[in-house]
C-alpha cells in the first residue's frame, strides 16, 4: 500500500453544540460471571484488599479509568438470580447454581457489598431486576428494600442489615436480553412488552423518581430486531425512559478492515433504534423522546468462546479473559467516538465488563492488576471529554469493506469545555497508512495545539503482568496553528486525542 499520507479535513465549530457530554456514557458493568466479581472487584486476603474484601488495586484502576456508573448484577446471570440470597449475614447466605454460566454462586458478594463498592469507587449503581424467572413482585420488593426509607418490612430489613439510609438507586434495568434463546426465561416481544410495562408501572408507585431502562434487542442481527423495539414501545412508551442496546464486535471472524469499521455497525444500530422509537412516539402522539442506553458494548473474541454446557459445576471458572491488542484499543476508542456522536439520544452506556471478563482491567489471584490496551482510550476520553459534544462532520477518503461497503477512513468527534474553552478532538484513522488531517477551528485565533496522544501498534502486541505497558498511549509532537488551522498527522490504524487550548491556558 502507498505509504504517502491520505488527506482528510475536519472543521470544528464551538457553536455547533449537539448535546451535553453525559457522564453516564462512561459506564461499566459488573456481572457474576467468571472472575469479574470473585477475584476481580472482590478478593478477601489479597495484599491490597480492605476489610470488606475489595481489591484496592482494582478500585484504584476503576477510578483512573473514569467509570461513572456500573450496571449490576447482570447480564445473563440476573435472569435466574434471587436478590435475597445476597443480603444479610454472609454465613447464612445459600450457595446456588448460577444457571447462566454453569457454576456455583456463594452469594458472598451481593447487593449491599455492591453498593459499598460503588461508594468506594465513586460510581453510580445501575441495578438490574430479574424478569426471567421472576417478575413484578420481586422487582417491587428489591426496590422497596433499596430505596424506601423505613417503616415497612423490607426497608426495615435493610436497616437490620446495617444500612439505615436508603441506597437511593436511580437507574433500573427491566431484565436483560430477554429476546435471546440463551436467556433463562426468554420472552416473545409481546410477552416482554407487557411484563416490562406492568413492572415499570408498579415500581414507579413505590418510587416515582427512578429511571427505567427496558430491554431492547441483544444485537442488530437478532431475528426480532425492530419488531422487538416497536412492540415494546407500543405497550410501554409512557412507563419507560430508555431502550437498551447491546452489541459486541469480534476481531476473529472478519478481516482487519471490516473490524476497524465496527463503529459503523454501532452507528447504524443506534440510528435504527432511534428511528423506531421516534416512529412509535409519533404514532402514539407523544412529546417525550425515548433515550437509549447502550448498556453492553465491547470488543469480544466471540468466535473463540465455547459455552460451558458440558463441564462440571465448579466455583469461579475463568470465562472470556481475552487479551486485547492495539487494534482492539483503536476500535474501542472509535466506539466511544460513536457514542459521543449520538449523545443527543444515547445518554447511558456501559462497557462490558470491568474486570477480567472481556475487560479493560485484568488481575491475577493474589497478584497484580494491570491495564489492558482498551483501558487507555476509555480512560483518556473519560478524562478529556467535558462540557458539550460538537457536531463534527469530517471529510476524507473511504475504503472498501466486504461487510459494510465503503467506510470513511477518518472517524472523529469533538468536545468543548465552556469553563476552560478547551476543545478536544477524538479521531481514529482506520487506514493502514497515515492520514494528514487538515483541522480548522472556527474563531480559533489564539488557540494552540496543546497535546496529541495516540495509541497504535498493530494486531499482535498485548499487555501482560510481565509487560503491563507494552501497548500504551504515547505523546506526539504538537502542530503549529495559524489562524485556528493546523495540519496534524494521524499514524496508521490509530486512535488519537488532540487537545486545543487558548494560548494563555495552554
Amino acid at each position: 500500500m502507498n505509504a504517502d499520507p491520505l488527506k482528510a479535513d475536519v472543521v470544528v465549530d464551538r457553536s455547533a453544540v449537539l448535546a451535553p457530554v453525559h457522564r453516564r456514557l462512561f459506564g461499566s458493568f459488573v456481572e457474576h460471571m467468571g472472575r469479574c466479581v470473585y477475584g476481580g472487584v472482590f478478593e478477601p486476603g489479597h495484599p491490597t484488599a480492605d476489610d470488606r474484601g475489595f481489591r484496592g488495586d482494582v478500585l484504584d484502576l476503576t477510578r483512573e479509568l473514569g467509570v461513572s456508573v456500573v450496571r449490576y448484577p447482570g447480564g445473563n446471570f440476573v435472569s435466574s438470580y434471587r436478590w435475597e440470597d445476597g443480603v444479610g449475614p454472609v454465613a447464612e447466605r445459600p450457595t446456588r447454581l448460577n444457571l447462566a454460566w454453569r457454576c456455583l454462586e456463594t452469594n458472598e458478594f451481593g447487593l449491599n457489598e455492591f453498593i459499598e463498592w460503588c461508594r468506594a469507587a465513586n460510581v453510580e449503581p445501575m441495578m438490574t431486576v430479574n424478569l426471567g424467572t421472576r417478575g413484578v413482585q420481586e422487582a417491587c420488593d428489591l426496590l422497596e428494600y433499596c430505596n424506601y426509607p423505613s417503616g415497612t418490612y423490607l426497608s426495615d430489613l435493610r436497616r437490620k442489615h446495617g444500612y439505615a439510609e436508603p441506597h437511593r438507586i436511580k437507574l433500573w434495568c427491566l431484565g436483560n436480553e430477554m429476546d435471546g434463546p440463551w436467556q433463562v426465561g426468554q420472552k416473545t416481544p409481546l410477552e416482554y412488552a407487557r411484563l416490562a410495562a406492568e413492572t415499570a408501572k408498579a415500581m414507579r408507585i413505590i418510587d416515582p423518581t427512578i429511571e427505567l431502562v427496558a430491554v431492547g434487542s441483544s444485537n442488530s442481527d437478532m431475528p426480532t430486531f425492530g419488531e422487538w423495539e416497536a412492540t415494546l414501545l407500543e405497550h410501554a412508551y409512557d412507563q419507560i425512559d430508555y431502550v437498551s442496546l447491546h452489541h459486541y464486535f469480534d476481531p476473529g471472524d472478519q478481516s482487519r478492515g471490516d473490524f476497524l469499521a465496527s463503529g459503523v455497525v454501532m452507528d447504524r444500530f443506534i440510528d435504527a433504534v432511534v428511528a423506531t422509537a421516534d416512529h412509535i412516539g409519533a404514532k402514539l402522539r407523544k412529546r417525550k423522546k425515548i433515550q437509549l442506553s447502550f448498556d453492553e458494548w465491547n470488543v469480544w473474541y466471540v468466535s473463540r468462546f465455547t459455552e460451558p454446557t458440558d463441564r462440571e459445576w465448579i466455583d469461579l471458572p475463568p470465562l472470556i479473559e481475552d487479551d486485547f491488542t492495539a487494534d482492539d484499543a483503536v476500535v474501542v476508542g472509535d466506539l466511544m467516538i460513536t457514542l459521543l456522536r449520538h449523545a443527543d439520544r444515547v445518554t447511558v452506556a456501559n462497557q462490558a465488563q470491568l474486570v477480567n471478563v472481556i475487560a479493560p482491567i485484568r488481575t491475577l489471584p493474589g497478584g497484580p492488576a494491570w491495564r489492558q490496551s482498551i483501558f487507555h482510550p476509555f480512560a483518556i476520553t473519560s478524562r478529556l471529554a467535558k462540557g458539550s459534544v460538537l457536531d463534527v462532520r469530517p471529510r476524507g477518503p473511504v475504503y472498501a469493506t466486504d461487510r459494510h461497503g465503503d467506510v470513511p477512513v477518518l472517524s472523529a468527534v469533538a468536545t468543548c469545555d465552556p469553563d476552560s474553552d478547551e476543545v478536544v478532538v477524538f479521531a481514529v484513522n482506520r487506514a493502514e497508512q497515515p492520514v494528514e488531517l487538515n483541522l480548522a477551528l472556527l474563531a480559533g485565533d489564539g488557540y494552540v495545539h496543546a497535546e496529541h496522544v495516540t495509541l497504535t501498534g498493530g494486531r499482535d502486541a498485548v499487555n501482560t503482568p510481565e509487560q503491563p505497558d507494552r501497548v500504551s498511549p504515547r505523546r506526539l509532537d504538537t502542530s503549529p496553528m495559524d489562524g485556528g488551522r493546523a495540519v496534524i498527522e494521524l499514524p496508521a490504524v490509530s486512535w488519537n486525542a488532540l487537545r486545543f487550548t487558548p494560548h494563555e491556558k495552554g
Side-chain angles (χ1 to χ4, degrees):
M1 181 178 287
N2 184 1
D4 292 336
L6 301 169
K7 296 183 184 296
D9 300 281
V10 66
V11 176
V12 180
D13 181 353
R14 283 172 291 159
S15 68
V17 173
L18 175 70
V21 176
H22 303 284
R23 295 314 304 171
R24 284 174 170 176
L25 287 177
F26 305 105
S28 191
F29 178 35
V30 167
E31 180 176 1
H32 288 248
M33 176 184 182
R35 296 194 311 116
C36 185
V37 172
Y38 303 108
V41 300
F42 181 74
E43 189 178 337
H46 188 271
T48 70
D50 62 17
D51 58 1
R52 298 165 294 187
F54 303 159
R55 281 188 62 146
D57 52 359
V58 172
L59 278 170
D60 288 342
L61 288 174
T62 300
R63 298 186 196 103
E64 180 185 336
L65 188 60
V67 172
S68 57
V69 58
V70 173
R71 183 169 172 253
Y72 175 87
N76 296 349
F77 171 76
V78 78
S79 288
S80 59
Y81 179 53
R82 301 170 176 91
W83 68 267
E84 305 95 323
D85 291 345
V87 298
V90 173
E92 298 175 11
R93 298 181 190 177
T95 295
R96 301 281 193 185
L97 298 179
N98 177 337
L99 301 187
W101 305 114
R102 198 174 174 83
C103 61
L104 301 181
E105 173 56 56
T106 66
N107 288 298
E108 186 179 358
F109 185 99
L111 167 64
N112 292 321
E113 286 79 17
F114 172 66
I115 295 299
E116 288 195 26
W117 181 87
C118 285
R119 291 169 180 161
N122 193 30
V123 302
E124 178 186 3
M126 181 179 185
M127 189 63 60
T128 309
V129 301
N130 176 359
L131 293 187
T133 59
R134 311 188 89 177
V136 178
Q137 185 61 65
E138 290 82 5
C140 289
D141 288 349
L142 176 56
L143 177 59
E144 181 183 330
Y145 180 93
C146 289
N147 283 15
Y148 198 78
S150 64
T152 67
Y153 171 76
L154 289 168
S155 62
D156 287 345
L157 183 63
R158 182 198 68 243
R159 294 169 64 87
K160 180 181 177 182
H161 291 158
Y163 301 88
E165 294 299 316
H167 295 326
R168 298 185 179 91
I169 301 171
K170 291 299 181 186
L171 269 175
W172 293 80
C173 300
L174 300 170
N176 175 78
E177 294 186 357
M178 302 308 301
D179 59 338
W182 57 84
Q183 201 72 202
V184 176
Q186 180 191 10
K187 304 288 189 290
T188 67
L190 182 57
E191 287 172 340
Y192 176 73
R194 293 291 301 123
L195 178 57
E198 291 305 309
T199 304
K201 185 169 65 177
M203 291 177 72
R204 288 200 191 279
I205 294 172
I206 297 170
D207 187 346
T209 71
I210 58 176
E211 301 170 53
L212 294 173
V213 182
V215 170
S217 294
S218 299
N219 59 69
S220 58
D221 296 323
M222 296 298 292
T224 55
F225 174 54
E227 175 195 359
W228 182 277
E229 284 77 8
T231 304
L232 165 66
L233 292 168
E234 288 271 10
H235 290 84
Y237 199 99
D238 287 336
Q239 284 76 37
I240 65 171
D241 303 292
Y242 305 84
V243 173
S244 75
L245 298 83
H246 291 182
H247 217 301
Y248 295 95
F249 302 91
D250 185 359
D253 71 345
Q254 56 190 314
S255 70
R256 189 187 194 194
D258 280 306
F259 173 59
L260 291 170
S262 295
V264 172
V265 180
M266 177 184 269
D267 184 80
R268 292 171 180 170
F269 189 13
I270 292 168
D271 285 345
V273 176
V274 168
T276 302
D278 287 352
H279 166 69
I280 299 301
K283 179 180 176 181
L284 298 176
R285 296 174 173 81
K286 302 295 183 182
R287 294 178 125 185
K288 178 178 82 170
K289 293 289 188 182
I290 296 293
Q291 300 298 299
L292 274 56
S293 173
F294 216 122
D295 47 40
E296 284 190 37
W297 68 270
N298 206 350
V299 171
W300 175 11
Y301 289 76
V302 185
S303 51
R304 299 178 184 172
F305 179 57
T306 302
E307 290 284 357
T309 58
D310 57 351
R311 59 166 168 74
E312 295 298 319
W313 294 84
I314 60 173
D315 292 330
L316 303 179
L319 292 173
I320 51 175
E321 298 192 3
D322 286 344
D323 298 314
F324 291 115
T325 68
D327 275 10
D328 300 333
V330 169
V331 168
V332 164
D334 194 15
L335 296 174
M336 299 194 76
I337 288 171
T338 304
L339 292 170
L340 284 168
R341 273 204 308 261
H342 288 277
D344 57 329
R345 297 301 289 274
V346 181
T347 51
V348 179
N350 306 82
Q351 187 187 48
Q353 297 181 17
L354 178 64
V355 192
N356 290 325
V357 179
I358 49 172
I361 301 170
R362 287 284 298 278
T363 71
L364 287 179
W370 68 98
R371 305 165 189 82
Q372 294 234 66
S373 67
I374 65 171
F375 181 101
H376 299 292
F378 190 111
I380 294 170
T381 305
S382 177
R383 176 170 56 84
L384 293 182
K386 299 175 183 177
S388 300
V389 181
L390 304 181
D391 189 7
V392 171
R393 302 183 184 185
R395 294 181 302 170
V398 298
Y399 70 99
T401 68
D402 294 331
R403 293 190 176 188
H404 316 303
D406 288 343
V407 169
V409 162
L410 178 66
S411 173
V413 74
T415 62
C416 181
D417 181 0
D419 294 331
S420 64
D421 289 328
E422 181 173 283
V423 172
V424 180
V425 176
F426 302 96
V428 161
N429 173 15
R430 296 169 174 150
E432 296 187 46
Q433 62 194 99
V435 163
E436 185 180 277
L437 177 63
N438 292 284
L439 184 142
L441 176 58
L442 298 187
D445 287 343
Y447 270 76
V448 297
H449 182 195
E451 186 177 25
H452 182 176
V453 176
T454 191
L455 198 152
T456 187
R459 294 168 280 183
D460 300 318
V462 299
N463 293 341
T464 65
E466 296 76 27
Q467 293 182 292
D469 300 315
R470 188 179 180 192
V471 183
S472 296
R474 57 192 174 94
R475 281 180 166 79
L476 300 182
D477 292 339
T478 55
S479 301
M481 296 192 76
D482 182 8
R485 294 181 175 272
V487 178
I488 301 166
E489 184 169 293
L490 307 179
V493 187
S494 64
W495 171 87
N496 303 267
L498 313 171
R499 189 167 62 88
F500 302 88
T501 64
H503 187 271
E504 65 273 12
K505 298 179 182 179

